[in-house]
PDB file of all heavy atoms in Angstrom:
ATOM      1  N   GLY A  83     129.224  92.565  97.230  1.00  0.00           N
ATOM      2  CA  GLY A  83     127.987  92.934  97.911  1.00  0.00           C
ATOM      3  C   GLY A  83     126.884  91.907  97.744  1.00  0.00           C
ATOM      4  O   GLY A  83     126.063  91.696  98.628  1.00  0.00           O
ATOM      5  N   LYS A  84     126.887  91.251  96.584  1.00  0.00           N
ATOM      6  CA  LYS A  84     125.800  90.307  96.299  1.00  0.00           C
ATOM      7  C   LYS A  84     126.227  88.920  96.785  1.00  0.00           C
ATOM      8  O   LYS A  84     127.320  88.463  96.480  1.00  0.00           O
ATOM      9  CB  LYS A  84     125.554  90.281  94.785  1.00  0.00           C
ATOM     10  CG  LYS A  84     124.422  89.357  94.340  1.00  0.00           C
ATOM     11  CD  LYS A  84     124.211  89.536  92.825  1.00  0.00           C
ATOM     12  CE  LYS A  84     123.165  88.631  92.210  1.00  0.00           C
ATOM     13  NZ  LYS A  84     122.702  87.479  92.953  1.00  0.00           N
ATOM     14  N   ALA A  85     125.378  88.274  97.575  1.00  0.00           N
ATOM     15  CA  ALA A  85     125.734  86.933  98.047  1.00  0.00           C
ATOM     16  C   ALA A  85     124.475  86.148  98.382  1.00  0.00           C
ATOM     17  O   ALA A  85     123.973  86.214  99.491  1.00  0.00           O
ATOM     18  CB  ALA A  85     126.643  87.026  99.273  1.00  0.00           C
ATOM     19  N   ASP A  86     123.987  85.428  97.393  1.00  0.00           N
ATOM     20  CA  ASP A  86     122.845  84.557  97.648  1.00  0.00           C
ATOM     21  C   ASP A  86     123.339  83.122  97.578  1.00  0.00           C
ATOM     22  O   ASP A  86     123.595  82.602  96.490  1.00  0.00           O
ATOM     23  CB  ASP A  86     121.752  84.805  96.599  1.00  0.00           C
ATOM     24  CG  ASP A  86     120.641  83.754  96.707  1.00  0.00           C
ATOM     25  OD1 ASP A  86     120.545  83.105  97.777  1.00  0.00           O
ATOM     26  OD2 ASP A  86     119.886  83.590  95.731  1.00  0.00           O
ATOM     27  N   LEU A  87     123.499  82.519  98.743  1.00  0.00           N
ATOM     28  CA  LEU A  87     124.096  81.181  98.768  1.00  0.00           C
ATOM     29  C   LEU A  87     123.070  80.058  98.683  1.00  0.00           C
ATOM     30  O   LEU A  87     123.430  78.886  98.670  1.00  0.00           O
ATOM     31  CB  LEU A  87     124.949  81.015 100.026  1.00  0.00           C
ATOM     32  CG  LEU A  87     126.325  81.697  99.916  1.00  0.00           C
ATOM     33  CD1 LEU A  87     127.013  81.731 101.273  1.00  0.00           C
ATOM     34  CD2 LEU A  87     127.224  80.984  98.907  1.00  0.00           C
ATOM     35  N   GLN A  88     121.793  80.415  98.610  1.00  0.00           N
ATOM     36  CA  GLN A  88     120.781  79.357  98.603  1.00  0.00           C
ATOM     37  C   GLN A  88     121.006  78.331  97.481  1.00  0.00           C
ATOM     38  O   GLN A  88     121.001  77.135  97.721  1.00  0.00           O
ATOM     39  CB  GLN A  88     119.371  79.960  98.539  1.00  0.00           C
ATOM     40  CG  GLN A  88     118.304  79.105  99.211  1.00  0.00           C
ATOM     41  CD  GLN A  88     118.755  78.473 100.549  1.00  0.00           C
ATOM     42  OE1 GLN A  88     119.162  79.171 101.470  1.00  0.00           O
ATOM     43  NE2 GLN A  88     118.703  77.146 100.637  1.00  0.00           N
ATOM     44  N   PRO A  89     121.238  78.802  96.225  1.00  0.00           N
ATOM     45  CA  PRO A  89     121.462  77.834  95.140  1.00  0.00           C
ATOM     46  C   PRO A  89     122.635  76.886  95.466  1.00  0.00           C
ATOM     47  O   PRO A  89     122.594  75.698  95.153  1.00  0.00           O
ATOM     48  CB  PRO A  89     121.816  78.702  93.928  1.00  0.00           C
ATOM     49  CG  PRO A  89     121.325  80.069  94.256  1.00  0.00           C
ATOM     50  CD  PRO A  89     121.279  80.197  95.746  1.00  0.00           C
ATOM     51  N   PHE A  90     123.648  77.436  96.096  1.00  0.00           N
ATOM     52  CA  PHE A  90     124.827  76.632  96.453  1.00  0.00           C
ATOM     53  C   PHE A  90     124.426  75.552  97.468  1.00  0.00           C
ATOM     54  O   PHE A  90     124.726  74.378  97.299  1.00  0.00           O
ATOM     55  CB  PHE A  90     125.914  77.547  97.026  1.00  0.00           C
ATOM     56  CG  PHE A  90     127.114  76.823  97.566  1.00  0.00           C
ATOM     57  CD1 PHE A  90     128.091  76.317  96.717  1.00  0.00           C
ATOM     58  CD2 PHE A  90     127.283  76.653  98.943  1.00  0.00           C
ATOM     59  CE1 PHE A  90     129.199  75.643  97.218  1.00  0.00           C
ATOM     60  CE2 PHE A  90     128.390  75.983  99.449  1.00  0.00           C
ATOM     61  CZ  PHE A  90     129.353  75.485  98.589  1.00  0.00           C
ATOM     62  N   PHE A  91     123.712  75.972  98.513  1.00  0.00           N
ATOM     63  CA  PHE A  91     123.297  75.002  99.538  1.00  0.00           C
ATOM     64  C   PHE A  91     122.374  73.929  98.946  1.00  0.00           C
ATOM     65  O   PHE A  91     122.476  72.758  99.276  1.00  0.00           O
ATOM     66  CB  PHE A  91     122.585  75.702 100.706  1.00  0.00           C
ATOM     67  CG  PHE A  91     123.493  76.612 101.499  1.00  0.00           C
ATOM     68  CD1 PHE A  91     123.059  77.865 101.918  1.00  0.00           C
ATOM     69  CD2 PHE A  91     124.783  76.217 101.824  1.00  0.00           C
ATOM     70  CE1 PHE A  91     123.903  78.699 102.639  1.00  0.00           C
ATOM     71  CE2 PHE A  91     125.631  77.047 102.560  1.00  0.00           C
ATOM     72  CZ  PHE A  91     125.182  78.297 102.963  1.00  0.00           C
ATOM     73  N   ASP A  92     121.463  74.365  98.067  1.00  0.00           N
ATOM     74  CA  ASP A  92     120.504  73.410  97.488  1.00  0.00           C
ATOM     75  C   ASP A  92     121.215  72.364  96.637  1.00  0.00           C
ATOM     76  O   ASP A  92     120.767  71.232  96.513  1.00  0.00           O
ATOM     77  CB  ASP A  92     119.479  74.147  96.606  1.00  0.00           C
ATOM     78  CG  ASP A  92     118.592  75.060  97.445  1.00  0.00           C
ATOM     79  OD1 ASP A  92     118.566  74.875  98.691  1.00  0.00           O
ATOM     80  OD2 ASP A  92     117.947  75.960  96.876  1.00  0.00           O
ATOM     81  N   GLN A  93     122.322  72.783  96.039  1.00  0.00           N
ATOM     82  CA  GLN A  93     123.047  71.935  95.099  1.00  0.00           C
ATOM     83  C   GLN A  93     123.883  70.880  95.836  1.00  0.00           C
ATOM     84  O   GLN A  93     124.252  69.867  95.272  1.00  0.00           O
ATOM     85  CB  GLN A  93     123.900  72.893  94.243  1.00  0.00           C
ATOM     86  CG  GLN A  93     125.051  72.324  93.473  1.00  0.00           C
ATOM     87  CD  GLN A  93     124.593  71.370  92.390  1.00  0.00           C
ATOM     88  OE1 GLN A  93     123.429  71.332  92.033  1.00  0.00           O
ATOM     89  NE2 GLN A  93     125.518  70.574  91.895  1.00  0.00           N
ATOM     90  N   LEU A  94     124.198  71.127  97.133  1.00  0.00           N
ATOM     91  CA  LEU A  94     125.058  70.197  97.871  1.00  0.00           C
ATOM     92  C   LEU A  94     124.355  68.866  98.119  1.00  0.00           C
ATOM     93  O   LEU A  94     123.179  68.857  98.469  1.00  0.00           O
ATOM     94  CB  LEU A  94     125.444  70.793  99.235  1.00  0.00           C
ATOM     95  CG  LEU A  94     126.439  71.946  99.222  1.00  0.00           C
ATOM     96  CD1 LEU A  94     126.589  72.510 100.624  1.00  0.00           C
ATOM     97  CD2 LEU A  94     127.785  71.489  98.704  1.00  0.00           C
ATOM     98  N   PRO A  95     125.071  67.759  97.949  1.00  0.00           N
ATOM     99  CA  PRO A  95     124.455  66.444  98.169  1.00  0.00           C
ATOM    100  C   PRO A  95     124.313  66.102  99.660  1.00  0.00           C
ATOM    101  O   PRO A  95     123.857  65.035 100.003  1.00  0.00           O
ATOM    102  CB  PRO A  95     125.430  65.476  97.497  1.00  0.00           C
ATOM    103  CG  PRO A  95     126.725  66.195  97.461  1.00  0.00           C
ATOM    104  CD  PRO A  95     126.434  67.661  97.417  1.00  0.00           C
ATOM    105  N   PHE A  96     124.754  67.025 100.550  1.00  0.00           N
ATOM    106  CA  PHE A  96     124.668  66.733 101.986  1.00  0.00           C
ATOM    107  C   PHE A  96     124.402  68.049 102.716  1.00  0.00           C
ATOM    108  O   PHE A  96     124.523  69.119 102.139  1.00  0.00           O
ATOM    109  CB  PHE A  96     125.974  66.122 102.489  1.00  0.00           C
ATOM    110  CG  PHE A  96     127.190  66.829 101.943  1.00  0.00           C
ATOM    111  CD1 PHE A  96     127.627  68.026 102.502  1.00  0.00           C
ATOM    112  CD2 PHE A  96     127.874  66.316 100.842  1.00  0.00           C
ATOM    113  CE1 PHE A  96     128.729  68.694 101.987  1.00  0.00           C
ATOM    114  CE2 PHE A  96     128.980  66.985 100.310  1.00  0.00           C
ATOM    115  CZ  PHE A  96     129.400  68.175 100.895  1.00  0.00           C
ATOM    116  N   THR A  97     124.075  67.953 103.987  1.00  0.00           N
ATOM    117  CA  THR A  97     123.861  69.168 104.774  1.00  0.00           C
ATOM    118  C   THR A  97     125.175  69.555 105.440  1.00  0.00           C
ATOM    119  O   THR A  97     125.894  68.693 105.939  1.00  0.00           O
ATOM    120  CB  THR A  97     122.829  68.909 105.900  1.00  0.00           C
ATOM    121  OG1 THR A  97     121.907  67.949 105.427  1.00  0.00           O
ATOM    122  CG2 THR A  97     122.120  70.179 106.278  1.00  0.00           C
ATOM    123  N   LEU A  98     125.467  70.847 105.448  1.00  0.00           N
ATOM    124  CA  LEU A  98     126.708  71.292 106.088  1.00  0.00           C
ATOM    125  C   LEU A  98     126.568  71.222 107.606  1.00  0.00           C
ATOM    126  O   LEU A  98     125.471  71.366 108.146  1.00  0.00           O
ATOM    127  CB  LEU A  98     127.008  72.727 105.667  1.00  0.00           C
ATOM    128  CG  LEU A  98     127.299  72.927 104.182  1.00  0.00           C
ATOM    129  CD1 LEU A  98     127.463  74.402 103.872  1.00  0.00           C
ATOM    130  CD2 LEU A  98     128.560  72.180 103.772  1.00  0.00           C
ATOM    131  N   THR A  99     127.688  71.037 108.287  1.00  0.00           N
ATOM    132  CA  THR A  99     127.654  71.067 109.748  1.00  0.00           C
ATOM    133  C   THR A  99     127.510  72.521 110.205  1.00  0.00           C
ATOM    134  O   THR A  99     127.802  73.461 109.446  1.00  0.00           O
ATOM    135  CB  THR A  99     128.958  70.516 110.361  1.00  0.00           C
ATOM    136  OG1 THR A  99     130.043  71.349 109.945  1.00  0.00           O
ATOM    137  CG2 THR A  99     129.223  69.089 109.908  1.00  0.00           C
ATOM    138  N   GLY A 100     127.108  72.693 111.458  1.00  0.00           N
ATOM    139  CA  GLY A 100     126.987  74.042 112.023  1.00  0.00           C
ATOM    140  C   GLY A 100     128.298  74.814 111.899  1.00  0.00           C
ATOM    141  O   GLY A 100     128.305  76.006 111.582  1.00  0.00           O
ATOM    142  N   ALA A 101     129.411  74.118 112.151  1.00  0.00           N
ATOM    143  CA  ALA A 101     130.718  74.776 112.106  1.00  0.00           C
ATOM    144  C   ALA A 101     131.038  75.262 110.694  1.00  0.00           C
ATOM    145  O   ALA A 101     131.601  76.341 110.496  1.00  0.00           O
ATOM    146  CB  ALA A 101     131.804  73.822 112.596  1.00  0.00           C
ATOM    147  N   GLN A 102     130.654  74.459 109.682  1.00  0.00           N
ATOM    148  CA  GLN A 102     130.893  74.885 108.298  1.00  0.00           C
ATOM    149  C   GLN A 102     130.051  76.105 107.968  1.00  0.00           C
ATOM    150  O   GLN A 102     130.524  77.064 107.346  1.00  0.00           O
ATOM    151  CB  GLN A 102     130.540  73.748 107.324  1.00  0.00           C
ATOM    152  CG  GLN A 102     131.588  72.651 107.248  1.00  0.00           C
ATOM    153  CD  GLN A 102     131.112  71.494 106.384  1.00  0.00           C
ATOM    154  OE1 GLN A 102     129.988  71.017 106.532  1.00  0.00           O
ATOM    155  NE2 GLN A 102     131.954  71.043 105.479  1.00  0.00           N
ATOM    156  N   GLN A 103     128.779  76.082 108.399  1.00  0.00           N
ATOM    157  CA  GLN A 103     127.904  77.217 108.106  1.00  0.00           C
ATOM    158  C   GLN A 103     128.420  78.488 108.770  1.00  0.00           C
ATOM    159  O   GLN A 103     128.403  79.563 108.175  1.00  0.00           O
ATOM    160  CB  GLN A 103     126.478  76.912 108.568  1.00  0.00           C
ATOM    161  CG  GLN A 103     125.822  75.846 107.695  1.00  0.00           C
ATOM    162  CD  GLN A 103     124.489  75.365 108.252  1.00  0.00           C
ATOM    163  OE1 GLN A 103     124.020  75.836 109.277  1.00  0.00           O
ATOM    164  NE2 GLN A 103     123.882  74.405 107.575  1.00  0.00           N
TER     165      GLN A 103
END
Side-chain angles (χ1 to χ4, degrees):
K84 181 175 177 345
D86 171 19
L87 282 169
Q88 209 41 57
F90 174 78
F91 294 137
D92 294 343
Q93 162 65 15
L94 288 174
F96 43 80
T97 328
L98 295 175
T99 62
Q102 283 174 313
Q103 290 171 2

